[in-house]
Each structure stands twice: as C-alpha cells, then as structure tokens.
Amino acid sequence: MMRKQIAAANWKMNLTLAQGEALLNDLFAIPTELGENQEAVLGIPFPYLTTVKDKLSGKQNIYIAAQNCYSKRSGAYTGEVSVEMLQSIGVDYVILGHSERREYFNESNSMLADKVNLCLEFGLKPIFCCGEALDIREAGTQNSYVETQLIESLFHLTPEQLTNFVIAYEPIWAIGTGKTASSEQAQEMHAHIRSVFAAKYGNAVADSISILYGGSVKAANAKEIFGQPDVDGGLVGGASLIAEEFAAIINSLKK
Ligand code: 13P
C-alpha cells in the first residue's frame, strides 16, 4: 500500500476556543474526501485538545496533534506538558522540532531525540520537523544541514520505529512569508531526505515514511506541490485557519 498522504494543520498560537470551534464547524460543513491512505491532522493548542478530540468522534481519518511536549517523563517541571498526559487524553500525533520551537525555545537536535523517544514509548506519532534557514539555502548547504538534523535526532531509532514515520520539511524562508519553495525545490529535498533514510535503513523503511512539505502551502499551490512523487502532503500554518483553504488542501492530497 502507498504510504500515508497527510494534510496537517498547525494552528500555532492562534484562535480562542470559540474561534477554533467555529473554524471546525465551517471546515466540517465543506465536503472533503479522505481515502484509505489519507489523513487530516489538526495541530491545535494544548487547552483545546480534549474539546476537539470529542468533536472528531465518528469522523473517519481525522486526528489531533499537540504542537509540542516536554522532553522529560514527569515531575517538577512547572508549566510543561508530558507525553503521558497527551496519551491519557487520546492525542494521536505530536509536532516536534518546529523551527519556531528550535529558534525561540532553543530546542536542540539532542533534546528532540529525547522527545521522539518518549512519544514512541507512549505510542504517539511524531511529526518531526526539519528545514534550513535562508542563509543556509543561499550557501547551498541545505542538504547536509537537514541531514544532520535527521541523524542527530532520529538515527538511534530502529527500522521498526521509523517505519510509517512522519517527517515535515519546512524551509524556514518559506514559513509565513507567502514564498513557497518551488515544487522542484520541495521534490529535490524530499528525495534527499528519503535517500538519507534509505542509506541507513534500506528502501522499504524509507519508502514507508510520509514526508510533508510546510511553508506557505495554500489551496492555490497544494495540488502542484503534493503532486511531486516524494511529497506526501503538507504541514499548513496560516491557510489552516481558513476553513475553505484547509478543505481544499485536504482535497489536494494524492490518492
Ligand atoms: P505557513 O503555512 O503559515 O507558512 O506556516 C508553515 C508552518 O510553519 C507549519 O508548521
């Protein structure tokens, strides 16, 4: 079977509960088709996870994601949220290592390895983000930069743990800028990421990994980007806050 095609929303730190519920009511009122190998994932703020989870009951192939978790199991870490807590309320996915967390909260590749381990231990699926800043792209060293992110956070995992894993490639220069990577640039990096996994884990594992593109995805460009052979959907910020946009992005997934 073809690897999963995923349209993931990342609301980031936006919307009140009432606004979020209104957005979902609007989204669910629009016909979307999610086939057997397709999923929609809603990456929503911690306080709304339970409410949104309840709203999804009976819906097929729609899941919730937290946008972060803490790198320690439990204990005296005031204000943090553990993976076990997320598991206990039925969270399915956790977005890990978003560039905003790396930049503003100093998340390192090794801290992310700890977060990945906890997620896998508790049965939550990481959506592991990687991607280079503009200066690295301009220097032409983006491939080795992203490769290092993957090696330092993920290469301790077993082939079984990486089978059906989810990666999001988000070039920082394309996030919230309205400037997407071209579909050729996205395909080139996605193929590189897949080859990095293939070299270490073999083709079967590499081919099972869903690699999402993130960075100014919108209804108008989703079909072309998702149409690339190594692009398995998207991680969507701004456009996921508009029901019509995100519905059209869901409907742009490859069959
Ligand atoms: P935008 O879609 O707003 O560019 O954000 C992308 C992103 O960071 C998703 O995680």
Side-chain angles (χ1 to χ4, degrees), residues 10 12 98-100 170 174-178 214-217 235-239:
N10 179 5
K12 307 192 180 182
H98 191 282
S99 59
E100 289 149 17
E170 300 206 312
I175 294 176
T177 58
S216 300
V217 173
L235 180 57
V236 186

Side-chain angles (χ1 to χ4, degrees), residues 19 85 127:
Q19 290 168 336
M85 292 173 189
I127 297 175

Side-chain angles (χ1 to χ4, degrees), residues 92-108:
D92 307 290
Y93 284 94
V94 185
I95 298 170
L96 288 181
H98 191 282
S99 59
E100 289 149 17
R101 297 219 51 92
R102 292 174 186 265
E103 180 176 355
Y104 306 133
F105 303 96
N106 297 320
E107 295 199 359
S108 64

